[in-house]
Amino acid sequence: MFANAQTIVQWMEQLAPKSMAVENDRIGLQLGSIRKEVGHVLVALDVTDEVVDEAIRLNAGLIIAHHAIIFRPLAHLQTDTPAGKLYEKLIKHDIAVYISHTNYDVAEGGMNDLMATLLQLTDVKVLETLQHEPLQKLVVFVPDTHAEQVRAAILDAGAGHIGAYSHCSFNVSGVGTFQPQDGTNPFIGHAGKLEEVKEARIETIVPKSIKSRVLQAMFKSHPYEEVAYDLYPVDLEGTAYGLGRVGKLVEPIALQELAERVKSKFDVPHVRVVGDLDRPIRKVAVLGGSGSRYVKHALFHGADVLVTGDIDYHTAHDALAAGLSIIDPGHNAEKMMKADVAARLQALADERGTQTRFHPSTVCTEPFQFL
Ligand SMILES: [Zn+2]
């Protein structure tokens, strides 16, 4: 049995919810149809002609890529331009293209976390916060006999996390009343008769992203046909989400040593380095892709170095003057996403017993050569 492409996209959106993307980013399904089963999926950084040939060779019905193939509204679709030819080839071979870009950068375990993990950073925080996850208060009324069961179900589903504490809830006992109407099948009582039942009021906190999972667990474990519950927004900030990460090295190391570590861990042949190579580095900021805009964020967090791509000449001078070192492994260092995304989707597909295979693209899409 092969997985449906629509289902694969849902898995991808569990890993990197679309709501986490930066405004106006080009993400989601960009080309083709996902209403089909796919035996092979190719995971790529860029969708180039060679990558599409690789997808054709693999008989892949879907490419999941990091960089968009359509950036602005198309004025035409002429198939004698390089871009037009590429779209034509994809459509002719029934290959859909799905993009996960800044949402994957921001997501827990995504590009920026991956970079921080590869460099063995500890005490990792977000470099630029874009949003805090909204929190909601969940209150549910349960007959005393089932209070423990419902409480366990909603807390095990992930409700009730406060800082480093899980399973946080508050519980009071009271009396609930109800009168079943005609046509009901009440768990307690009889149609037309007012009932009084000893009930518990269980309240807890739920991050919006797992709300449906928690509610499902609540409905499943609750004995009543009609569950009485309230869900209301609270003016509290949940987990911070954003671009880049900043963290500490367990032991300070020289800038040169960190540059060597970046080269080997990110699997890049060269890095450009700004700053005194002997300088001890303790705090490291990382950002996948183009990070020229993030010098001030790195300085604000007290980082000694910013590891990011596409640094330009003047930004390098500004950083040097401000005392921030830079290691630039190039934009293509983002290729690390291929193996990560393919492995995590493969695990989800295997768990569900499907035969669909996920392949990290083996095509090198680095446009630069170093002579
Ligand atoms: Zn990028």
Side-chain angles (χ1 to χ4, degrees):
M1 179 192 69
F2 291 136
N4 196 285
Q6 254 171 328
T7 310
I8 294 168
V9 162
Q10 279 169 13
W11 296 341
M12 190 62 218
E13 288 173 6
Q14 278 172 27
L15 304 182
K18 279 168 112 174
S19 59
M20 286 187 178
V22 169
E23 214 181 326
N24 293 327
D25 193 16
R26 300 287 182 252
I27 58 158
L29 181 67
Q30 280 210 308
L31 192 135
S33 168
I34 49 170
R35 291 169 184 227
K36 59 184 176 186
E37 290 184 346
V38 285
H40 298 274
V41 178
L42 183 64
V43 182
L45 175 60
D46 306 284
V47 183
T48 63
D49 197 45
E50 270 184 288
V51 170
V52 177
D53 285 340
E54 187 184 24
I56 294 168
R57 273 200 308 280
L58 289 166
N59 198 20
L62 173 67
I63 298 176
I64 294 178
H66 189 56
H67 292 141
I69 52 163
I70 302 173
F71 304 95
R72 48 189 82 87
L74 291 176
H76 55 75
L77 214 169
Q78 295 176 10
T79 52
D80 51 5
T81 64
K85 242 183 229 150
L86 194 74
Y87 306 148
E88 183 191 23
K89 199 168 177 179
L90 286 160
I91 290 168
K92 275 188 174 165
H93 288 88
D94 192 18
I95 301 169
V97 178
Y98 178 90
I99 305 297
S100 185
H101 187 225
T102 50
N103 44 330
Y104 173 72
D105 293 332
V106 167
E108 231 177 301
M111 185 87 73
N112 290 305
D113 275 339
L114 203 56
M115 290 176 85
T117 305
L118 286 173
L119 297 182
Q120 294 158 307
L121 303 186
T122 60
D123 196 13
V124 176
K125 295 190 170 59
V126 169
L127 187 62
E128 184 198 30
T129 299
L130 296 174
Q131 54 177 290
H132 285 91
E133 179 158 40
L135 295 174
Q136 293 178 323
K137 168 77 65 133
L138 172 65
V139 177
V140 58
F141 302 88
V142 193
D144 281 352
T145 48
H146 291 71
E148 209 177 311
Q149 172 182 320
V150 174
R151 185 167 50 242
I154 57 179
L155 298 179
D156 288 347
H161 274 268
I162 301 177
Y165 294 82
S166 70
H167 294 76
C168 302
S169 73
F170 187 78
N171 304 263
V172 280
S173 298
V175 174
T177 68
F178 56 86
Q179 184 167 319
Q181 299 297 301
D182 287 346
T184 55
N185 181 22
F187 177 72
I188 298 169
H190 303 281
K193 185 171 172 282
L194 185 69
E195 294 293 336
E196 287 191 5
V197 181
K198 282 193 167 174
E199 289 183 338
R201 173 194 164 102
I202 305 171
E203 56 185 281
T204 186
I205 202 99
V206 184
K208 205 176 163 201
S209 62
I210 60 162
K211 183 183 87 179
S212 56
R213 186 170 86 203
V214 171
L215 291 184
Q216 261 176 27
M218 177 185 81
F219 291 131
K220 223 172 138 189
S221 60
H222 201 292
Y224 286 0
E225 266 191 300
E226 300 287 351
V227 177
Y229 71 101
D230 300 321
L231 200 55
Y232 41 96
V234 286
D235 197 8
L236 295 172
E237 288 183 338
T239 309
Y241 288 105
L243 288 169
R245 300 290 184 266
V246 58
K248 293 180 194 137
L249 293 166
V250 180
E251 292 279 327
I253 56 173
L255 178 61
Q256 175 151 11
E257 199 182 326
L258 183 65
E260 293 295 341
R261 187 181 291 181
V262 169
K263 264 171 75 176
S264 71
K265 300 283 183 183
F266 291 9
D267 187 27
V268 291
H270 295 91
V271 292
R272 295 189 301 157
V273 185
V274 176
D276 176 358
L277 292 177
D278 294 326
R279 173 190 183 179
I281 302 290
R282 291 175 185 84
K283 208 166 186 186
V284 181
V286 294
L287 190 122
S290 299
S292 276
R293 223 168 50 75
Y294 290 87
V295 165
K296 57 180 184 294
H297 297 83
L299 286 166
F300 175 79
H301 284 279
D304 301 306
V305 64
L306 170 62
V307 180
T308 192
D310 290 347
I311 289 288
D312 63 83
Y313 183 83
H314 292 295
T315 303
H317 265 297
D318 291 345
L320 199 57
L324 178 73
S325 298
I326 287 179
I327 299 173
D328 182 345
H331 199 132
N332 195 256
E334 290 188 313
K335 66 186 175 184
M336 65 178 71
M337 57 74 63
K338 297 189 285 190
D340 171 64
V341 169
R344 289 200 283 159
L345 291 176
Q346 190 66 65
L348 289 168
D350 292 349
E351 249 172 55
R352 284 151 182 85
T354 82
Q355 256 76 59
T356 300
R357 311 304 307 165
F358 293 81
H359 309 263
S361 169
T362 56
V363 174
C364 172
T365 57
E366 172 64 87
F368 297 110
Q369 297 183 64
F370 301 92
L371 302 178

